[in-house]
Amino acid sequence: MHPPPPAADAMDFSQNSLFGYMEDLQELTIIERPVRRSLKTPEEIERLTVDEDLSDIERAVYLLSAGQDIQGTSVIANLPFLVRQNPAETLRRVLPKVREVLHVAGVEMQSTAAVSFRTILQEESVSIHTYAHSFLQVILLHLEHRDAGVSNAWLETLLSVIEVLPKETLKHEILNPLVSKAQLSQTVQSRLVSCKILGKMTNKFDAHTIKREILPLVKSLCQDVEYEVRSCMCRQLENIAQGIGTELTKSVVLPELIELSRDEGSSVRLAAFETLVNLLDVFDTDDRSQTILPLVKSFCEKSFKADESILISLSFHLGKLCHGLYGIFTPDQHLRFLEFYKKLCTLGLQQENGHNENQIPPQILEQEKKYISVRKNCAYNFPAMIVFVDPKNFHMELYSTFFCLCHDPEVPVRYTIAICFYEVSKLLNSGVYLIHKELITLLQDESLEVLDALIDHLPEILELMSTGGESSVQENKLSSLPDLIPALTAAEQRAAASLKWRTHEKLLQKYACLPHIISSDQIYYRFLQRMFTIVMTNNVLPVQKAASRTLCIFLRYNRKQEQRHEVIQKLIEQLGQGKSYWNRLRFLDTCEFIIEIFSKSFFCKYFFLPTIELTHDPVANVRMKLCYLLPKVKSTLKIPADKHLLQQLEMCVRKLLCQEKDKDVLAIVKRTVLELDRMEMSMDAFQKKFYEKDLLDQEKEREELLLMEMEQLEKEKQQSDGRPMSEKSFEKKRRDTKTPTTLPKSIPISVPGPSGTSTPSTSKEIKKSKLIRSQSFNNQAFHAKYGNLDKCANKSSTVGYTPSVSGLGKTSVVSLTDDSFRTRNACSAPTTFTPTASLPGTSRGTGNSVDPKSSGSKETPPRKATLLFPSLSVSRLTVHVAHSILL
């Protein structure tokens, strides 16, 4: 779409408008004047100049002594580097200057020093003993800085130091002074710091020291007169409980938590509740049922009357709470907690009205935001609540709540439930069909954030939907969910129409799972053509590549020969031979994916010649990209069956090296020639060096052959049964009148030569056994994780053979009427040929040489250029040719 033409007044060059432009220019000059006056004077520049001959240590000392604040801050920020470079001199000369400067330093320099000290500790540039001797006192000195941000920065550094300091140093340098710092006579800031230090130090000492020296301080701070101190100490009780053990926790920590849960301050009660929830695993069943459960019930009953912030915390911890108390609830208590959760899931929805937000008071808006947070937390805890009620009772107890969360008017709530959708599906197992409609709802959600959250686990969700949650794979193509395909296509179109191309890319990548979810025809008519359109027309390169890879996977598992040939023809004609160089670049990307996903024989049969023909492309970028791809192209060849293809590859590389005029392409060609020369060719027979790769490729080829056999046997079975033509068969027959069943003329292939004398068996028993074997493969190939395709290129484990299908090798292919996936032959057809053209060739298994003239390629090499030594490497040939040209 072209942008709308500019308005008439936007292009007005009348005298009045020109005067207006002049006034604007004058305003700009006025704005610029203060900038010029703010430049440094020569005297100031002289003061900021440092002698270049000074070493790093000397320069740091000079800047800390006579420099400005910004220079001193730069030196302190660079302190970790100085310690790494020269620790002894830095500690002897620079660190004393840093101590002096920090006494009068501002906020920025103090914060920078705290971060630098922590970095030095983390990098272990000096020993712990040296660090404690040089840096610890500086950290403790500035711990109670009047600025809260600076104080917190130094506290974070001290807490990191506490983790590595030895016990004796902790006791003398930190614990002993802490006794006086935690007294009521000290400032609130000092007591807050003491709370956090105590929480960090507890697990560093033995139980006797904790009971004698630390627990009295903990009790004193839990009873502090300031609610901030009580709340801070309460949140540290979890760390303290983990350090003192179960017995002391029950006798010391639990009574303090009970008392704090009844505190007059709401923040203290909230801290006590959250600490109790986090410590549920520490307490035994009696403590949970007799002490904690009554406190939780009281807290829940009073939550609606208290501040909404308590509701937010309660809704967030409700799943963990129900899990921790599971088993001690009476049926009545179980029902009450479930009803409480349902009430939280709809909190605030009853107050929805049609008023404009500008007309709502700010207090109401703030309350609604808190209610949204509560419902969002409920969505987060939904999987835990399924466990709480038992998945068998989901439909009766929680389905209506799940429906409300999926249709919540607020995006954050739907986003959270979309994230949890996969967990919900796993928990429901065989009952996953109950949430089919909610899956469609979230796929059709107007917010792309919700869609983005859902598609993270879309393949796993669809697999659970297709198999009904059962572990055994079944041929269930989601027939009970007819709205899935329209929802998936609408989701892709909505993502494509937005500016969030990453969501679009991720969605296209996840669509690669569809071959083991829906039928091949559904993919062909509803998705495959769309993937091709995206590759051709989309303007975002990652999106195009994602669509191209998914298109290759769709082609890999397509079960109709005519459909495959049509897609291959489109790829070659509209991409490989397209008018736009951008499309030809995408063709090379597609070829790279084909090499990864398909067998070597498939690539050589259909895409080898169209790929190397791009060496004559008029655009340098296409030739350059092809050069990067050539090593992978060569890796698909096997000697001696593909000797003629290797000769054509060598000829193309030789032409590139001799005729290339673009210097960048020529440099890449030279590097590619060296890489091709270092490559070792695969042989028809298995080699130890390439055993795993060859075995994996043979497995791919076997699967491709079985796909062809499945199609043939299903046709024969349908004909032998004499079934009436179904709607799909009628539609296929109607398409057959439009789509030719022969191979498209423009697809260069390797045509097999005369077969042996073996003929296909016509016995019904053999056909039946083949059909059973093919159906068995269907259950394995189509329901395997699509992610396995990503590992094909770099799979390191040895692929085992299945004895039951070992007979489906090259000898069994001869019995098939379809030759589209036969073993590779040793001859290539021309790029364009007539149906009556003779296509001589030999099977890949034979080693007969072929006259290059009989190959019928576009550029038939002269007989003088025919390689006398086919095994000669590419680089040696090109060096000889280049040398002769230079002479």
Side-chain angles (χ1 to χ4, degrees):
M1 296 179 61
H2 297 285
D9 55 351
M11 301 297 293
D12 184 14
F13 292 101
S14 62
Q15 187 175 5
N16 293 333
S17 62
L18 289 176
F19 278 122
Y21 296 149
M22 293 298 295
E23 292 176 358
D24 294 340
L25 291 175
Q26 290 177 358
E27 291 179 1
L28 289 175
T29 57
I30 294 173
I31 294 173
E32 193 176 351
R33 286 172 189 168
V35 177
R36 291 177 179 175
R37 284 200 297 266
S38 66
L39 296 176
K40 301 296 182 183
T41 63
E43 293 79 8
E44 292 174 328
I45 294 176
E46 182 67 24
R47 287 201 305 269
L48 294 173
T49 304
V50 182
D51 188 1
E52 295 181 357
D53 296 332
L54 295 177
S55 64
D56 292 338
I57 300 294
E58 293 173 343
R59 185 183 301 109
V61 173
Y62 172 78
L63 292 177
L64 288 172
S65 303
Q68 296 188 2
D69 288 346
I70 188 172
Q71 293 175 315
T73 303
S74 176
V75 171
I76 293 176
N78 200 39
L79 195 61
F81 171 77
L82 295 176
V83 174
R84 288 195 305 269
Q85 189 181 43
N86 194 343
E89 285 298 307
T90 302
L91 297 180
R92 187 177 67 86
R93 299 182 59 187
V94 180
L95 190 58
K97 290 292 182 182
V98 172
R99 293 173 182 168
E100 295 177 6
V101 172
L102 287 178
H103 283 294
V104 293
V107 172
E108 184 178 359
M109 188 179 292
Q110 287 272 358
S111 302
T112 304
V115 174
S116 295
F117 283 21
R118 186 160 65 250
T119 303
I120 294 171
L121 175 71
Q122 294 169 350
E123 293 180 351
E124 300 180 356
S125 303
V126 295
S127 64
I128 297 300
H129 176 75
T130 303
Y131 187 92
H133 181 266
S134 303
F135 295 93
L136 183 58
Q137 290 303 320
V138 182
I139 297 172
L140 293 173
L141 182 63
H142 298 91
L143 197 58
E144 299 179 20
H145 195 276
R146 60 181 179 274
D147 186 87
V150 173
S151 178
N152 289 332
W154 285 113
L155 179 61
E156 290 297 324
T157 302
L158 178 61
L159 296 179
S160 300
V161 174
I162 289 175
E163 293 181 357
V164 296
L165 284 179
K167 186 184 300 184
E168 292 300 322
T169 305
L170 279 175
K171 186 173 183 180
H172 290 93
E173 298 292 340
I174 299 178
L175 182 57
N176 292 340
L178 198 64
V179 176
S180 61
K181 296 291 184 181
Q183 301 301 318
L184 287 174
S185 58
Q186 299 294 325
T187 63
V188 175
Q189 177 73 13
S190 176
R191 304 203 297 274
L192 289 173
V193 169
S194 300
C195 294
K196 296 178 180 179
I197 294 176
L198 283 173
K200 195 71 174 180
M201 285 176 49
T202 305
N203 58 358
K204 303 291 290 186
F205 295 101
D206 56 275
H208 178 71
T209 305
I210 293 173
K211 188 175 182 180
R212 184 168 54 88
E213 299 187 18
I214 294 181
L215 288 183
L217 292 177
V218 172
K219 291 181 178 180
S220 173
L221 292 170
C222 284
Q223 299 172 4
D224 197 276
V225 294
E226 297 293 337
Y227 74 92
E228 295 173 326
V229 179
R230 298 196 302 272
S231 176
C232 182
M233 192 66 251
C234 184
R235 294 190 180 277
Q236 299 301 320
L237 290 179
E238 179 183 354
N239 296 329
I240 293 173
Q242 294 174 355
I244 64 178
T246 305
E247 294 300 324
L248 282 177
T249 299
K250 293 173 62 176
S251 61
V252 178
V253 175
L254 184 56
E256 294 294 334
L257 283 174
I258 294 173
E259 185 176 352
L260 291 171
S261 65
R262 299 166 182 154
D263 196 275
E264 59 184 6
S266 61
S267 62
V268 181
R269 296 195 303 272
L270 181 61
F273 170 75
E274 293 178 355
T275 305
L276 277 172
V277 173
N278 293 331
L279 290 176
L280 281 175
D281 296 336
V282 179
F283 304 118
D284 54 23
T285 305
D286 293 337
D287 291 328
R288 295 181 194 176
S289 59
Q290 298 175 9
T291 306
I292 299 177
L293 183 57
L295 287 176
V296 172
K297 288 173 58 180
S298 175
F299 195 83
C300 294
E301 291 171 357
K302 297 177 181 179
S303 58
F304 283 100
K305 303 175 184 178
D307 185 25
E308 284 80 6
S309 59
I310 297 180
L311 273 179
I312 295 175
S313 176
L314 178 59
S315 62
F316 181 76
H317 292 90
L318 195 59
K320 186 187 294 186
L321 187 63
C322 292
H323 177 72
L325 297 177
Y326 188 80
I328 65 173
F329 284 119
T330 63
D332 181 61
Q333 292 171 342
H334 189 280
L335 182 61
R336 290 177 63 183
F337 266 86
L338 182 59
E339 292 300 324
F340 180 73
Y341 172 76
K342 293 180 180 180
K343 187 175 181 181
L344 291 180
C345 289
T346 58
L347 186 64
L349 295 180
Q350 299 86 355
Q351 303 175 5
E352 294 288 335
N353 51 47
H355 296 296
N356 189 0
E357 287 190 1
N358 298 327
Q359 301 174 356
I360 302 177
Q363 298 83 357
I364 303 299
L365 284 176
E366 188 67 25
Q367 187 183 52
E368 288 183 356
K369 290 181 181 178
K370 292 181 179 179
Y371 288 162
I372 293 171
S373 299
V374 170
R375 301 200 303 272
K376 177 183 175 181
N377 291 337
C378 289
Y380 167 77
N381 283 302
F382 194 84
M385 298 308 296
I386 293 180
V387 177
F388 183 67
V389 301
D390 196 316
K392 297 178 181 178
N393 302 323
F394 169 78
H395 188 262
M396 295 294 296
E397 302 290 351
L398 284 177
Y399 175 74
S400 59
T401 303
F402 186 70
F403 178 87
C404 291
L405 292 174
C406 291
H407 291 81
D408 195 277
E410 299 298 331
V411 172
V413 181
R414 304 196 305 272
Y415 173 83
T416 307
I417 200 64
I419 293 177
C420 300
F421 200 95
Y422 174 52
E423 293 296 329
V424 173
S425 302
K426 286 198 300 183
L427 289 171
L428 293 181
N429 199 9
S430 59
V432 71
Y433 67 91
L434 296 171
I435 58 174
H436 280 180
K437 294 182 180 179
E438 282 63 41
L439 174 63
I440 303 301
T441 299
L442 294 177
L443 282 173
Q444 296 175 340
D445 197 281
E446 59 184 9
S447 173
L448 283 179
E449 295 179 7
V450 178
L451 177 63
D452 188 82
L454 183 67
I455 62 180
D456 283 335
H457 292 285
L458 185 62
E460 294 85 353
I461 294 171
L462 293 179
E463 183 179 2
L464 288 171
M465 294 284 184
S466 64
T467 60
E470 300 296 334
S471 58
S472 60
V473 179
Q474 301 173 359
E475 183 95 15
N476 182 357
K477 296 295 182 179
L478 291 178
S479 58
S480 61
L481 193 58
D483 296 334
L484 175 65
I485 294 178
L488 289 173
T489 55
E492 187 277 321
Q493 292 172 1
R494 194 165 63 256
S498 70
L499 297 177
K500 297 182 178 181
W501 61 266
R502 288 181 177 85
T503 300
H504 192 200
E505 176 194 14
K506 181 161 61 172
L507 184 62
L508 295 176
Q509 291 171 348
K510 301 299 181 181
Y511 278 2
C513 73
L514 292 180
H516 68 277
I517 302 297
I518 57 180
S519 67
S520 176
D521 282 340
Q522 288 174 319
I523 291 176
Y524 179 77
Y525 290 108
R526 300 303 298 271
F527 294 98
L528 195 145
Q529 305 298 332
R530 175 61 181 167
M531 296 300 110
F532 192 83
T533 302
I534 294 172
V535 175
M536 291 286 295
T537 61
N538 198 280
N539 296 324
V540 183
L541 179 58
V543 173
Q544 286 183 309
K545 287 188 174 182
S548 176
R549 193 180 192 283
T550 303
L551 172 64
C552 292
I553 294 176
F554 289 167
L555 179 63
R556 168 72 172 78
Y557 289 109
N558 188 282
R559 299 176 61 178
K560 299 292 180 64
Q561 176 187 2
E562 59 190 57
Q563 294 176 359
R564 283 194 302 274
H565 287 170
E566 181 184 350
V567 175
I568 293 171
Q569 181 185 16
K570 283 187 176 181
L571 287 174
I572 295 174
E573 290 183 350
Q574 300 184 29
L575 286 181
Q577 301 170 0
K579 296 181 179 179
S580 171
Y581 86 98
W582 188 257
N583 288 341
R584 299 196 294 276
L585 288 174
R586 300 293 72 78
F587 175 75
L588 292 176
D589 289 332
T590 306
C591 288
E592 190 171 358
F593 294 137
I594 290 174
I595 293 174
E596 172 192 352
I597 295 170
F598 288 82
S599 64
K600 296 178 180 180
S601 60
F602 181 90
F603 176 81
C604 289
K605 185 172 185 178
Y606 294 109
F607 292 95
F608 187 90
L609 294 180
T611 301
I612 64 174
E613 281 180 2
L614 291 178
T615 54
H616 309 294
D617 197 277
V619 179
N621 284 355
V622 178
R623 301 194 302 274
M624 186 181 300
K625 189 174 183 66
L626 175 62
C627 291
Y628 286 120
L629 186 63
L630 284 179
K632 291 185 178 181
V633 172
K634 184 180 178 182
S635 67
T636 62
L637 301 178
K638 288 188 177 182
I639 298 301
D642 298 323
K643 182 173 59 178
H644 67 292
L645 296 179
L646 179 61
Q647 292 174 357
Q648 296 198 34
L649 176 63
E650 292 174 342
M651 185 68 67
C652 292
V653 174
R654 185 151 72 265
K655 286 184 179 180
L656 272 177
L657 190 63
C658 298
Q659 301 175 5
E660 182 58 53
K661 297 180 181 179
D662 189 282
K663 60 179 183 179
D664 296 325
V665 179
L666 185 60
I668 296 173
V669 170
K670 292 178 180 178
R671 291 201 299 267
T672 304
V673 167
L674 295 177
E675 185 175 354
L676 292 173
D677 183 44
R678 289 193 295 266
M679 290 181 62
E680 296 187 20
M681 296 293 297
S682 298
M683 308 297 291
D684 280 340
F686 275 30
Q687 297 174 278
K688 184 177 181 181
K689 188 176 299 184
F690 304 106
Y691 180 77
E692 294 180 358
K693 293 182 179 180
D694 291 344
L695 198 60
L696 183 60
D697 180 70
Q698 187 170 2
E699 187 72 13
K700 291 180 184 178
E701 190 170 351
R702 183 184 66 85
E703 292 177 1
E704 293 164 0
L705 294 170
L706 285 176
L707 284 173
M708 293 292 93
E709 187 172 330
M710 286 164 57
E711 179 184 5
Q712 180 66 23
L713 293 177
E714 286 175 0
K715 287 181 180 178
E716 293 178 2
K717 185 175 184 297
Q718 185 175 359
Q719 293 174 359
S720 62
D721 293 346
R723 291 176 297 179
M725 185 178 294
S726 62
E727 182 179 354
K728 292 184 178 179
S729 301
F730 177 78
E731 180 67 15
K732 177 183 179 301
K733 185 175 181 180
R734 185 183 63 83
R735 292 195 309 271
D736 289 344
T737 60
K738 298 181 180 181
T739 307
T741 57
T742 59
L743 186 65
K745 297 180 181 180
S746 61
I747 303 180
I749 60 171
S750 299
V751 182
S755 304
T757 58
S758 60
T759 58
S761 175
T762 58
S763 64
K764 295 184 179 180
E765 290 79 6
I766 296 179
K767 290 183 178 180
K768 184 176 180 181
S769 63
K770 286 185 177 181
L771 181 59
I772 294 174
R773 185 174 53 201
S774 301
Q775 291 173 346
S776 175
F777 166 73
N778 181 29
N779 290 336
Q780 296 175 6
F782 284 90
H783 294 280
K785 288 284 187 180
Y786 82 100
N788 293 338
L789 293 173
D790 299 332
K791 305 175 183 177
C792 288
N794 53 4
K795 185 173 180 181
S796 59
S797 61
T798 304
V799 182
Y801 253 132
T802 305
S804 61
V805 294
S806 60
L808 295 177
K810 296 175 183 177
T811 57
S812 64
V813 183
V814 183
S815 63
L816 300 179
T817 58
D818 175 29
D819 62 350
S820 60
F821 281 83
R822 290 187 184 177
T823 52
R824 195 164 351 135
N825 26 53
C827 181
S828 296
T831 306
T832 58
F833 59 91
T834 59
T836 58
S838 60
L839 300 170
T842 58
S843 175
R844 182 177 187 172
T846 61
N848 298 336
S849 61
V850 181
D851 189 354
K853 286 186 178 181
S854 65
S855 62
S857 59
K858 282 186 175 180
E859 297 182 5
T860 305
R863 187 170 297 277
K864 292 182 180 180
T866 303
L867 298 180
L868 298 178
F869 304 98
S871 61
L872 195 59
S873 63
V874 176
S875 64
R876 295 174 185 172
L877 289 173
T878 51
V879 169
H880 288 314
V881 174
H883 180 69
S884 62
I885 292 175
L886 291 175
L887 291 177

